[in-house]
């Protein structure tokens, strides 16, 4: 799988220039690049059936790569001062701080919740940095119906950029297939993702 765009949505303070971000960014890139389909392939080829491919196996493949290769923690429960907005898909410990990553598998409302969760963690001083991974508009038609995608989320960027924070970082990684081929099997709409690595 390939990354077609990387956006620094929020960058306050010096985290974007830090060695920690350099390491984390590289780990995320490697984990996404490792996602391959069909099984045994060296790249990610998708069957172009409209809304025919599952999303969770793709996410789970990346999560497995982050956990197995780089020691990330998955489904991290975060304690907020108010009611928790839910677990975070993956976190990486940076000395006394956390970096959080969300991989979008739901609809556009879910995408908004993911961004809000990450920004809330920055506002509360829980996350030093954050990242969101979501599909491009080109990949979108071949995945589960109404999956959130970058182009649909982009009009709201100015709202999140206007949040009043002194320090914090939120990057967005936009992902896409390497190739299209109607002869490859569709990705099941299930939860097993390790086969995609």
């Amino acid at each position: 799988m390939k990354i077609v765009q990387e956006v620094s949505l929020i960058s306050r303070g010096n985290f974007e220039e830090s060695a920690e971000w350099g390491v984390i960014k590289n780990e995320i890139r490697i984990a996404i690049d490792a996602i391959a389909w069909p099984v045994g392939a060296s790249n990610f080829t998708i069957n172009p059936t409209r809304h025919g491919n599952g999303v969770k196996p793709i996410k789970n493949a990346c999560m497995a790569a982050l956990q197995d290769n780089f020691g990330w923690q998955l489904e991290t429960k975060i304690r907020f001062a108010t009611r928790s907005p839910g677990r975070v898909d993956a976190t990486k410990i940076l000395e006394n701080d956390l970096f959080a990553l969300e991989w979008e598998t739901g609809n556009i409302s879910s995408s908004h919740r993911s961004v809000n969760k990450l920004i809330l963690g920055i506002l509360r001083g829980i996350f030093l940095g954050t990242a969101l991974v979501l599909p491009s508009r080109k990949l979108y038609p071949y995945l589960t119906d109404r999956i959130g995608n970058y182009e649909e989320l982009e009009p709201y960027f100015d709202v999140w950029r206007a949040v009043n924070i002194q320090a914090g970082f939120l990057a967005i990684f936009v992902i896409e297939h390497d190739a299209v081929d109607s002869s490859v099997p569709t990705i099941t709409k299930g939860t097993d993702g390790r086969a995609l690595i």
Side-chain angles (χ1 to χ4, degrees), residues 15-197:
F15 181 75
E16 189 170 10
E17 288 77 40
S18 69
E20 290 92 344
W21 171 235
V23 170
I24 287 172
K25 179 168 55 175
N26 191 53
E27 291 176 357
I28 294 170
R29 287 172 174 170
I30 290 171
I32 291 171
D33 184 63
I35 302 169
W37 185 257
V39 175
S42 59
N43 64 2
F44 186 90
T45 300
I46 197 159
N47 183 306
T49 300
R50 187 165 180 78
H51 307 312
N53 295 274
V55 181
K56 286 188 178 179
I58 303 171
K59 167 194 167 179
N60 291 348
C62 181
M63 297 299 108
L66 289 173
Q67 182 180 50
D68 296 346
N69 300 332
F70 304 113
W72 288 58
Q73 297 175 350
L74 306 185
E75 293 298 319
T76 308
K77 188 174 183 178
I78 304 297
R79 295 190 182 276
F80 290 87
T82 55
R83 185 175 174 189
S84 172
R87 296 177 184 266
V88 176
D89 289 336
T91 55
K92 173 99 173 182
I93 297 173
L94 305 172
E95 295 185 4
N96 297 321
D97 296 299
L98 277 181
F99 186 94
L101 181 141
E102 285 277 291
W103 182 293
E104 188 47 56
T105 59
N107 61 24
I108 191 64
S109 296
S110 176
S111 302
H112 282 266
R113 284 193 299 272
S114 289
V115 175
N116 289 336
K117 183 191 306 183
L118 296 174
I119 292 177
L120 181 61
I122 293 170
L123 282 167
R124 296 285 161 81
I126 297 169
F127 303 144
L128 180 63
T130 61
L132 174 71
V133 182
L134 77 169
S136 71
R137 182 69 86 171
K138 286 184 178 178
L139 178 56
Y140 158 81
Y142 310 136
L143 300 176
T144 304
D145 191 18
R146 296 300 301 141
I147 186 75
N149 61 86
Y150 178 79
E151 286 78 3
E152 199 171 3
L153 197 64
E154 188 178 19
Y156 303 94
F157 284 2
D158 285 345
V159 174
W160 293 309
R161 286 185 175 123
V163 173
N164 185 18
I165 55 174
Q166 298 300 312
F169 181 74
L170 170 55
I172 296 180
F173 291 83
V174 186
I175 57 165
E176 202 170 280
H177 48 285
D178 296 302
V180 173
D181 187 340
S182 58
S183 70
V184 303
T186 57
I187 300 167
T188 56
K189 296 179 180 180
T191 58
D192 183 14
R194 290 185 184 270
L196 276 69
I197 301 176

